[in-house]
Amino acid sequence: MEEKGTEWLLFAVHRLVSWGASAAMIFGGIVPYIPQYRDIRRTQNADGFSVYVCLMLLVANILRILFWFGRHFESPLLWQSIIMILTMLLMLKLCTEVRVANDLNTKRRLFTDFDMNFFWHWSRFTDYVQCVLAFTAVTGYITYLSLDSVLYVETLGFLAVFTEAMLGVPQLYRNHQNYSTEGMSIKMVLMWTSGDTFKTAYFILNQAPFQFTICGLLQVLVDITILLQVYVYSVYPKKPVPHTTHVTSAKAL
């Protein structure tokens, strides 16, 4: 009886840990954007957040969902993509409303104008939705026709996670250009690093497709490099920064 009780307890603990890890995987990615969303609503100013964050994450997660149809992976990773898409749409809606309310230019830019000079800088949230639906329809149709191609499916999976892995690169390059990390939230970088480390460990332990593991490791490497920039530019400043720079990377918060 005692052995059965111990086995049941270990099984229950294992299930709880598994559920906790899955929940963290599903919802952990959106946590850094919650304070950003609240701050934009409070200040009615979206200048510190780049809407290209939303573009890159929407593309990455739409491709990841399409990849699932070609090669099934862990369900929490699929739900993570769905939750992230909804979160980025909410961020886009808020940023668009705030920007339009503060914009003195009365001319409205629409998705149907097909003006590349104003791509992803439209005046209505519905235009962003139209663009996302158009991208999903085109890539979805191509994927439907190419599901029998192993090369296409594996490439699709790589593009999905590689796009997400590159989110920190614009910030890395901006820091290098300015020889400074002024205006960047170090707490947020620490959150990215811890989150990406957990995510990569989850990929490895659950034997996710190799694209996920490789790009997860790359994402952690980018985060660590940004943290090294914080140390180097604070101890060995190379030139003064004339003004506080807005954080405009794809992970900008």
Side-chain angles (χ1 to χ4, degrees):
M1 290 293 292
E2 291 183 0
E3 291 182 359
K4 289 185 177 180
T6 302
E7 289 178 1
W8 182 88
L9 179 62
L10 291 174
F11 176 77
V13 171
H14 179 269
R15 291 297 296 272
L16 287 174
V17 171
S18 178
W19 288 342
S22 297
M25 194 68 212
I26 294 172
F27 298 103
I30 69 173
V31 170
Y33 298 99
I34 295 176
Q36 180 66 55
Y37 184 90
R38 296 177 62 182
D39 187 57
I40 293 175
R41 283 186 63 90
R42 179 178 57 84
T43 62
Q44 290 297 295
N45 187 338
D47 291 342
F49 181 79
S50 171
V51 291
Y52 286 106
V53 179
C54 305
L55 174 61
M56 295 183 71
L57 284 175
L58 284 169
V59 169
N61 286 282
I62 289 171
L63 293 180
R64 184 193 288 186
I65 292 174
L66 294 176
F67 176 54
W68 182 85
F69 288 98
R71 182 179 176 185
H72 288 2
F73 47 79
E74 288 285 315
S75 295
L77 300 180
L78 178 63
W79 280 107
Q80 181 200 44
S81 292
I82 295 173
I83 297 297
M84 182 61 75
I85 288 173
L86 294 176
T87 301
M88 289 302 102
L89 289 175
L90 287 174
M91 289 294 299
L92 271 176
K93 186 175 187 297
L94 177 62
C95 291
T96 304
E97 291 173 350
V98 170
R99 189 182 73 248
V100 171
N102 296 330
D103 191 2
L104 299 178
N105 186 1
T106 58
K107 186 173 182 179
R108 295 294 181 246
R109 305 293 180 179
L110 307 178
F111 169 66
T112 51
D113 293 338
F114 300 111
D115 187 348
M116 293 304 298
N117 292 323
F118 294 94
F119 177 78
W120 212 249
H121 288 286
W122 301 303
S123 304
R124 303 178 308 176
F125 172 66
T126 53
D127 292 292
Y128 292 95
V129 174
Q130 290 173 11
C131 181
V132 170
L133 290 176
F135 175 78
T136 303
V138 172
T139 53
Y141 182 67
I142 295 174
T143 300
Y144 174 75
L145 296 177
S146 307
L147 279 178
D148 294 333
S149 172
V150 176
L151 177 61
Y152 174 83
V153 171
E154 296 299 328
T155 301
L156 183 67
F158 175 78
L159 289 176
V161 289
F162 183 75
T163 302
E164 185 175 358
M166 290 295 100
L167 288 176
V169 172
Q171 183 66 57
L172 185 70
Y173 181 68
R174 170 180 281 270
N175 295 343
H176 175 70
Q177 279 189 315
N178 295 333
Y179 295 102
S180 171
T181 56
E182 186 177 357
M184 184 188 71
S185 173
I186 299 176
K187 291 181 180 179
M188 290 301 98
V189 179
L190 291 172
M191 289 180 66
W192 305 335
T193 306
S194 59
D196 292 338
T197 301
F198 170 82
K199 180 172 63 178
T200 303
Y202 183 92
F203 292 159
I204 296 173
L205 293 175
N206 288 275
Q207 298 181 341
F210 76 97
Q211 297 98 324
F212 287 65
T213 301
I214 292 175
C215 291
L217 292 171
L218 178 60
Q219 201 165 1
V220 172
L221 178 62
V222 172
D223 295 338
I224 292 175
T225 305
I226 293 176
L227 288 175
L228 287 175
Q229 285 182 321
V230 174
Y231 172 76
V232 171
Y233 294 147
S234 61
V235 177
Y236 308 104
K238 295 188 178 182
K239 69 176 182 179
V241 179
H243 57 81
T244 300
T245 57
H246 288 299
V247 183
T248 56
S249 79
K251 273 189 170 179
L253 292 175

